[in-house]
Amino acid sequence: DFLPLEHDRLGILIADVAGKGTSAALYMAELKGLVLSLSRHHVSPRQMLIEANSIISKHLDARSFITMTYAVVDLRARTMTCSRAGHCPLIYVPGPDSVSRAGQVLTPEGMVLGLQFDLGDTFDRLLEEVTLPLGRGDLFVLYTDGISEAMNPQGDCFGDQRLVELAQRHADLTCDALRERILSEVHTFAGDAAQHDDMTMVLVKIN
């Protein structure tokens, strides 16, 4: 989801609940409402995730957890700040004004939300927050493991590296065109193999 915030900032949320069915859908709906509320009170993605984990861990059953990345784009400061709670990496491709346009895999440290083995001390200690300066044409790709773990009939996964190379090769496409290109490549790779997980992707390009 995209969450308009005050002072020319935009919150970006992507998350995945372990498991399927009604309970997973309810947990995701609860998380979305929680983030909508907490994002108004926390400028820091890390602090927002810490409070979200403190609240959501009281409601999940012992077998469930949630992976999540939350980022804040600050258009005045020209920065993106993000934290990653056990979710897939972020892919970053610098814009045309950069010295190098090599795609990068961003993996800030962080564990999943909702585990109840302590009072949240481990979650708080491990969770990192990173801030990147933004330039014209910078591209960010956030996704769920339904894309990176899409399998072909031989049991091979599409993988993060293929996604990085694809984003780098086609970084100058519009977001709509790039989304269709990525999904087409994933489906071509998978061939006749059954889709085993949902596919969610968020593309962000800086003007």
Side-chain angles (χ1 to χ4, degrees):
D1 204 354
F2 297 92
L3 313 175
L5 305 173
E6 293 181 338
H7 309 303
D8 293 327
R9 293 181 298 117
L10 177 70
I12 301 167
L13 162 68
I14 189 166
D16 199 2
V17 179
K20 296 177 173 62
T22 304
S23 61
L26 290 173
Y27 289 146
M28 185 59 76
E30 181 179 358
L31 176 69
K32 181 177 177 179
L34 185 61
V35 172
L36 282 169
S37 176
L38 295 179
S39 64
R40 299 188 180 100
H41 304 288
H42 292 287
V43 174
S44 161
R46 180 177 182 274
Q47 291 303 319
M48 196 280 293
L49 277 171
I50 286 174
E51 187 167 355
N53 178 63
S54 174
I55 295 171
I56 204 80
S57 61
K58 296 179 175 66
H59 301 277
L60 296 188
D61 65 57
R63 297 168 297 174
S64 297
F65 61 86
I66 301 173
T67 70
M68 175 178 164
T69 293
Y70 179 66
V72 174
V73 175
D74 188 324
L75 296 176
R76 293 186 186 178
R78 302 290 290 181
T79 60
M80 188 183 85
T81 303
C82 67
S83 288
R84 184 180 69 107
H87 197 73
C88 298
L90 297 82
I91 294 174
Y92 165 52
V93 181
D97 298 332
S98 303
V99 175
S100 170
R101 302 202 66 190
Q104 302 174 32
V105 178
L106 307 180
T107 56
E109 188 68 31
M111 65 183 291
V112 301
L113 286 89
L115 299 184
Q116 303 171 26
F117 60 85
D118 63 15
L119 297 177
D121 296 340
T122 302
F123 183 92
D124 299 1
R125 176 171 51 83
L126 293 179
L127 189 63
E128 293 181 345
E129 181 177 275
V130 298
T131 298
L132 298 172
L134 298 178
R136 180 182 66 86
D138 284 358
L139 170 70
F140 295 89
V141 182
L142 295 80
Y143 56 97
T144 60
D145 58 9
I147 292 179
S148 57
E149 295 180 3
M151 290 187 181
N152 62 17
Q154 292 74 43
D156 301 319
C157 287
F158 189 78
D160 297 318
Q161 190 55 42
R162 279 191 179 91
L163 196 53
V164 172
E165 294 168 1
L166 195 55
Q168 179 179 309
R169 195 179 314 129
H170 302 290
D172 291 329
L173 293 176
T174 65
C175 284
D176 286 344
L178 179 57
R179 180 193 65 226
E180 295 307 314
R181 177 61 65 97
I182 291 173
L183 291 176
S184 175
E185 293 277 352
V186 171
H187 290 310
T188 299
F189 174 85
D192 296 331
Q195 183 177 333
H196 70 280
D197 203 355
D198 60 280
M199 297 183 182
T200 302
M201 180 169 43
V202 175
L203 304 177
V204 179
K205 184 170 282 191
I206 306 301
N207 293 327

